[in-house]
Amino acid sequence: MAEQSQTLIEVSRLVVSFAQSGGSGMFHAVDDVSLKVARGEVVGLVGESGSGKTTLAKTILRLYKPAAGTLQFEGCDITRLGEKALRPIRRQMQMVFQDPLSSFNPRVRIGDAVALPLRLHKPGPAHQIQSKVQDLLSRVGLGPQFAARYPHEMSGGQLQRVAVARALAVEPRLIVADEAVSKLDVSVRAQILNLLRDVQSATGVALLFITHDLRVARYLCDRIGVMFFGRLVEVGATADVFSNPRHPYTRALLSTLDDDDGGGLAALAPPAPASSGCRYRSRCPIARSDCAAHRPELQAVGDTHTVACPYVLSD
Ligand SMILES: Nc1ncnc2c1ncn2[C@@H]1O[C@H](COP(=O)(O)OP(=O)(O)OP(=O)(O)O)[C@@H](O)[C@H]1O
Ligand SMILES: [Mg+2]
């Protein structure tokens, strides 16, 4: 076999459309996005509500079908694969959701919830499954006694630990964590972030980490992609994005980091709809008249740093 590539996921010019609510026609929730995730890499997606983070992640998991563009997983084009062909690939990509309680069946004990993916993907004798469940629980810091509990008998933080254990059960190559700590108390949040970091470095799983919270992204991620209304406007190594943000939107986001509520993105006003050109132009302090004419593409500003604004390339 050829040498394995370091690229786990390659998203190329991806477009995902939905019907416009209350109107006719479609709009692009993800609009011409290209992104690579390497094996074992932790990539953050940040951007305000509605910018398309979840849609992009769900499309990578092929829960949505793209309208255009391609999606490769371990070099295999999965853009249009049918359900049957997707089955072995789905196991490789797991998700941890925002709301711990609603991601568990209330009538299924924790031990069985973790055992289910094992039974499906790695069937074996009951005692073997049980010991694997205990092992998974212990890897996320939970004792064996938790296996007998029901979801409502657990705290939010404990349930998020179980969600991580359940995701790890099938030894995936990618875990998507969509706002996985945002519903937790601040003190618990740090514990779950540390858990994700530990699990990631112990297993080498890649993480796509979606968050509103820039501080969280800085803490956890190797690389960060900043989304604005369906587009990636800046992608770079976390240190570069934080120390040398280029896109005016990234700069605006980072300036909110000093606010008391710490990196909240919801406070920003929605932009005026812009059908062509740069969608950020109505908010942009450096907008020029030709920003309406051309939609900016990501261009390199460093080895691993790209930005979609032609007016910030050389500063
Ligand atoms: N299943 C769907 N059907 C129709 N429109 C959708 C669907 N899912 C998302 N959208 C719309 O697509 C856009 C992007 O939504 P998405 O949920 O991906 O954003 P997000 O960045 O994850 O936001 P948040 O931070 O609030 O989770 C929004 O305008 C949203 O209303
Ligand atoms: Mg979302």
Side-chain angles (χ1 to χ4, degrees):
M1 229 172 96
E3 196 182 314
Q4 283 201 325
S5 141
Q6 285 309 302
T7 303
L8 180 67
I9 287 164
E10 184 160 3
V11 172
S12 184
R13 313 219 75 139
L14 202 71
V15 177
V16 187
S17 316
F18 292 124
Q20 206 129 30
S21 68
S24 57
M26 310 286 279
F27 81 104
H28 295 338
V30 171
D31 191 1
D32 198 11
V33 164
S34 300
L35 179 71
K36 279 186 188 176
V37 179
R39 290 174 195 281
E41 193 179 26
V42 182
V43 175
L45 280 181
V46 301
E48 63 202 75
S49 191
S51 57
K53 306 179 298 293
T54 297
T55 305
L56 174 58
K58 285 189 165 173
T59 311
I60 288 174
L61 300 178
R62 268 302 313 276
L63 301 173
Y64 295 140
K65 219 183 217 162
T70 58
L71 194 54
Q72 296 205 8
F73 182 78
E74 297 198 303
C76 165
D77 187 334
I78 64 165
T79 321
R80 285 171 218 293
L81 281 191
E83 267 317 307
K84 195 165 169 217
L86 272 175
R87 210 171 297 151
I89 289 162
R90 290 214 186 284
R91 182 179 47 197
Q92 307 286 348
M93 306 196 270
Q94 298 293 310
M95 191 150 180
V96 175
F97 296 93
Q98 176 174 25
D99 186 359
L101 197 54
S102 69
S103 57
F104 287 93
N105 182 335
R107 288 182 293 275
V108 174
R109 289 179 199 269
I110 293 305
D112 288 329
V114 177
L116 187 68
L118 289 172
R119 290 198 188 104
L120 282 175
H121 298 298
K122 296 196 152 194
H127 71 271
Q128 224 173 56
I129 298 238
Q130 207 181 3
S131 96
K132 189 92 209 278
V133 167
Q134 309 264 314
D135 176 48
L136 284 161
L137 289 178
S138 105
R139 275 162 71 186
V140 298
L142 294 173
Q145 71 278 17
F146 286 95
R149 294 212 189 155
Y150 286 98
H152 71 269
E153 297 171 315
M154 312 274 284
S155 70
Q158 287 167 343
L159 275 178
Q160 254 350 19
R161 288 178 187 272
V162 181
V164 173
R166 183 173 60 179
L168 287 175
V170 292
E171 295 168 20
R173 298 242 198 273
L174 173 75
I175 294 178
V176 173
D178 191 353
E179 302 283 5
V181 298
S182 56
K183 286 231 166 151
L184 304 174
D185 291 343
V186 173
S187 57
V188 183
R189 217 177 268 183
Q191 294 170 15
I192 299 299
L193 286 174
N194 285 332
L195 172 70
L196 282 170
R197 212 158 75 157
D198 293 348
V199 155
Q200 193 283 323
S201 65
T203 61
V205 68
L207 262 185
L208 186 59
F209 189 81
I210 298 175
T211 180
H212 276 91
D213 190 328
L214 291 162
R215 290 188 181 133
V216 166
R218 174 159 56 180
Y219 178 72
L220 201 65
C221 301
D222 303 320
R223 222 149 45 88
I224 289 182
V226 179
M227 284 192 82
F228 183 78
F229 277 70
R231 312 262 304 164
L232 271 173
V233 297
E234 184 155 0
V235 183
T238 303
D240 289 339
V241 170
F242 276 87
S243 66
N244 188 14
R246 295 297 188 96
H247 197 280
Y249 178 57
T250 313
R251 291 185 172 178
L253 289 183
L254 291 180
S255 70
T256 68
L257 266 185
D258 300 327
D259 297 351
D260 285 346
D261 63 350
L265 306 185
L268 295 166
S275 52
S276 65
C278 175
R279 290 196 177 166
Y280 190 61
R281 69 179 191 272
S282 64
R283 283 192 201 167
C284 182
I286 60 164
R288 306 178 189 190
S289 56
D290 53 349
C291 295
H294 306 288
R295 196 164 66 170
E297 299 273 340
L298 284 172
Q299 294 183 64
V301 287
D303 285 349
T304 56
H305 194 175
T306 56
V307 61
C309 174
Y311 304 117
V312 295
L313 295 179
S314 57
D315 65 21

